[in-house]
Amino acid sequence: MFARVSLWVSLLSTAALLFSSASRAQDGALIEVLGTLIKPPCTANFPTSQNVDIPKTNLNSLNSDVTGWTDVSLDFQCIKGSQVHLRFSAGNGSFDSNTLRTTLDRLGLRTRLSDMTGTLKVLDLKLDEQLIFPVDGTRLKLQLSVRPVKTEQELPAIGSYSSTLLMEMTYL
């Protein structure tokens, strides 16, 4: 008889536990989170990664500081009233706020940024500083330019060189 009562008590206890946990589950809340993805306010009309070939430069031009600029177009198509935030960083280090280091000692690449959207305007490009461009129309047309420069009195060795410039873009 003791075993039967014990069995009944166990079954009733288990049933009570099942019902109490079921009632707790019913007290919970369901939170549904919804969202919508939209396209960014601007689209870059240039490759995300590109190689820029600088024409061969002779040491006399480098010594006289008369090397030519090599240009890269940076065009953006935007929604009217948006903003483009840009930050340029030297991937291999820099000599100063606008001269990239190269793989050749004593040779740098001077950088320049121009706004070609309306009237040509050369901007004050400083590496690692953010530039903000309000887009009045629907297009922002920039031009990044680089040119080889010597960084010391002594000329660099003859040979091939490279450098890396990173560009961070944010659209608002």
Side-chain angles (χ1 to χ4, degrees), residues 21-108:
S21 51
S23 66
R24 273 189 248 136
Q26 289 175 354
D27 289 342
L30 174 66
I31 299 172
E32 190 172 328
V33 179
L34 304 171
T36 304
L37 289 176
I38 61 171
K39 69 182 212 172
C42 295
T43 303
N45 294 328
F46 53 89
T48 54
S49 183
Q50 54 186 307
N51 292 322
V52 177
D53 290 323
I54 296 174
K56 292 179 182 175
T57 304
N58 69 54
L59 291 177
N60 290 339
S61 297
L62 192 65
N63 197 36
S64 302
D65 198 28
V66 292
T67 56
W69 291 95
T70 300
D71 302 322
V72 178
S73 293
L74 304 174
D75 292 339
F76 300 88
Q77 191 69 37
C78 297
I79 295 170
K80 187 175 182 173
S82 55
Q83 289 184 349
V84 176
H85 295 214
L86 298 178
R87 181 184 318 271
F88 294 91
S89 302
N92 302 82
S94 63
F95 288 102
D96 56 36
S97 63
N98 64 355
T99 307
L100 301 170
R101 285 193 180 278
T102 68
T103 53
L104 278 180
D105 289 338
R106 299 182 299 274
L107 180 70

Side-chain angles (χ1 to χ4, degrees), residues 116-136:
M116 313 284 284
T117 306
T119 308
L120 171 67
K121 180 180 174 186
V122 177
L123 305 168
D124 185 24
L125 171 64
K126 289 191 168 92
L127 298 171
D128 296 317
E129 287 188 12
Q130 187 175 55
L131 296 166
I132 299 173
F133 299 94
V135 182
D136 295 329

